[in-house]
Amino acid sequence: MITSKFTKAHLAHLPTPFELMPNMTKKFKGPNLYIKRDDATGLAFGGNKVRQLEYYVGHAMDLNADALLTTGAVQSNHVRQTVAAARKMGWHVEVQLEHRVDTHSKEYSESGNPYLNKLMGAVIHNFDVGEDELGADKAMYDRAEELKVQGYSPYVIPLSATDKTPWGSLGYVECIEELCQQASESETQIDAIILGSGSANTHAGVLAGLIALNMNIPVYGFCVRRDKAAQTERVEIKTRKVLTLLGIDENKLTSGMVMCADWVLAPGYGLPSSEVVDAIHTTAFEEGILLDPTYTGKAMAGMLGMIKEGKFNDNDNVVFLHTGGTPSLFGYPELVAGK
C-alpha cells in the first residue's frame, strides 16, 4: 500500500463498493456510469471524511493526543464524522459551527448533522463569520491552548489551505489504490472520475494517488464553495503537499491536471440550484442513492451536464465518487416540498 508508512486509525468499513448505476446509464444514453460508494464507510452514517480521519487521527496518535477539535459549517459532514471518530477513540471532542448559509430554517440549524453532533455529546462552539477560514481555524487553535491548561493533549484538524500538512488526503491516495484494484478485478477501464471539490483534501488525494500509480485518468472536480480559479489553486497546493509527503516529485503534477468547474456552484455554498435539486431527485428515483445539496448533488449535476454536452463517448466508463452527506438532507425539507 502506498500509504503504509503512515500511522492509520481503523475507523472505516473498507473496501467500499464499486458498482455500475444501470438505471442512470440507461436513462442518459451516454457513458457507463459507475459509482464508488464512499457514503458507505460506516462511521456515523459514513462519508469521505472517515477515510481522511483515519490519517488525521493516526497523526494525532503519533503525537499522543487525547482530544480532537475542528471547524465547519452548521451542516458539516466533516464535523459530524470528527465527533464520531473522537467517540470511537474515547477522546474528548470540541467542534465549531460556522454561519455559512443564510437561512432561518429550524431544520437546517437543528436537524441532520447538528442533531447528531449533540447526540454524540460534542462540546459545540459557534463562529458567526462564514467566510473566514483562517479566523475559524485560529479560534480552534486558541481553544486548544485552553484545553492544554486543563490537562488535555489536543489535536486540531484545520480547514484552511495554509502551511498545514493535509494528512487526510492520504485517505484518498489509499482510496484510489483500492478503486484501481476493484476496476482491475472487474476488468473495467476507468476513463474519468467525477467528484465534488471543497476543502480539496479528497480531490488532492485522488490526484496524488493516480500520480503515484502512474495512472492517466482525468479527474473533474465541481466547486462547492469557491470559484474555479480559487479552487484550482487550492487543489494544486494541496496535491503538491501530498506528493511531497509521499516522497514523490511534486512537479509530476503538471499543467492541466487540476480541472475544476464552478457552473454548479451558484447560488452558493449549501444552496442548491434547480439543476442540483433535479440531480438529487433523479439519482434517488433511478438508483435509490441519496445525495446531498452541498457536495454530491452539485457533483452529480455537473456530471449529468457533461453527459448532456457530449463530453464523454458512449463506451467510456465514468466513475462518480459518492462522498456521503446523507444526514444533511434532513436540514433541507424544501427539497420534497409539493412532492
Side-chain angles (χ1 to χ4, degrees), residues 116-129:
L116 296 173
N117 296 334
K118 292 177 182 177
L119 182 66
M120 291 183 283
V123 175
I124 300 172
H125 306 273
N126 293 297
F127 192 76
D128 291 336
V129 183

Side-chain angles (χ1 to χ4, degrees), residues 3-114:
T3 57
S4 59
K5 68 179 179 180
F6 301 99
T7 303
K8 171 186 171 182
H10 294 281
L11 304 172
H13 298 172
L14 302 176
T16 58
F18 167 62
E19 56 197 22
L20 180 70
M21 293 190 286
N23 300 327
M24 294 281 280
T25 297
K26 181 179 179 180
K27 178 179 179 65
F28 291 99
K29 300 180 176 66
N32 301 308
L33 301 179
Y34 287 82
I35 188 167
K36 178 61 172 164
R37 295 294 302 269
D38 267 23
D39 57 320
T41 52
L43 185 69
F45 284 98
N48 63 324
K49 306 302 182 181
V50 180
R51 285 191 193 266
Q52 296 182 24
L53 283 158
E54 289 195 319
Y55 288 92
Y56 276 122
V57 172
H59 185 234
M61 290 164 62
D62 288 341
L63 300 175
N64 297 313
D66 59 8
L68 286 182
L69 296 91
T70 200
T71 184
V74 172
Q75 282 289 347
S76 169
N77 301 302
H78 164 69
V79 166
R80 179 245 311 163
Q81 289 163 86
T82 298
V83 175
R87 288 293 170 243
K88 190 170 181 66
M89 296 299 295
W91 292 356
H92 180 73
V93 58
E94 300 197 12
V95 296
Q96 178 177 260
L97 302 182
E98 307 163 23
H99 179 73
R100 290 190 203 165
V101 179
D102 288 327
T103 175
H104 299 290
S105 164
K106 182 178 180 181
E107 289 88 352
Y108 185 86
S109 60
E110 297 183 9
S111 187
N113 285 315

Side-chain angles (χ1 to χ4, degrees), residues 6 51 66 94 100 132 137 165 168 182 207 218-219 250 288 305:
F6 301 99
R51 285 191 193 266
D66 59 8
E94 300 197 12
R100 290 190 203 165
D132 182 7
D137 282 346
T165 301
Q182 290 172 315
L207 285 171
V219 179
E250 66 174 48

Side-chain angles (χ1 to χ4, degrees), residues 91-258:
W91 292 356
H92 180 73
V93 58
E94 300 197 12
V95 296
Q96 178 177 260
L97 302 182
E98 307 163 23
H99 179 73
R100 290 190 203 165
V101 179
D102 288 327
T103 175
H104 299 290
S105 164
K106 182 178 180 181
E107 289 88 352
Y108 185 86
S109 60
E110 297 183 9
S111 187
N113 285 315
Y115 169 82
L116 296 173
N117 296 334
K118 292 177 182 177
L119 182 66
M120 291 183 283
V123 175
I124 300 172
H125 306 273
N126 293 297
F127 192 76
D128 291 336
V129 183
E131 295 301 328
D132 182 7
E133 279 193 332
L134 292 175
D137 282 346
K138 182 179 183 301
M140 284 287 89
Y141 281 110
D142 289 346
R143 178 58 185 156
E145 292 303 313
E146 295 173 355
L147 287 176
K148 288 178 183 178
V149 175
Q150 297 177 29
Y152 288 105
S153 178
Y155 183 90
V156 176
I157 302 173
L159 284 186
S160 58
T162 54
D163 60 342
K164 303 300 179 183
T165 301
W167 295 100
S169 292
L170 295 173
Y172 275 87
V173 173
E174 179 182 336
C175 177
I176 283 299
E177 193 170 11
E178 178 183 296
L179 174 60
C180 289
Q181 178 64 31
Q182 290 172 315
S184 176
E185 290 171 356
S186 63
E187 298 183 346
T188 304
Q189 175 183 305
I190 299 174
D191 297 298
I193 296 173
I194 307 288
L195 49 77
S197 192
S199 71
N201 280 353
T202 296
H203 197 163
V206 167
L207 285 171
L210 291 171
I211 291 170
L213 293 171
N214 294 312
M215 301 288 287
N216 185 25
I217 300 173
V219 179
Y220 299 96
F222 285 93
C223 304
V224 303
R225 188 177 180 187
R226 300 163 198 85
D227 65 22
K228 175 181 176 179
Q231 190 65 18
T232 299
E233 180 182 19
R234 187 183 185 94
V235 176
E236 287 177 348
I237 289 170
K238 286 202 172 185
T239 304
R240 293 183 190 281
K241 288 182 179 179
V242 181
L243 290 172
T244 300
L245 198 59
L246 294 171
I248 298 171
D249 182 1
E250 66 174 48
N251 292 317
K252 287 194 173 184
L253 179 71
T254 56
S255 177
M257 290 181 71
V258 177

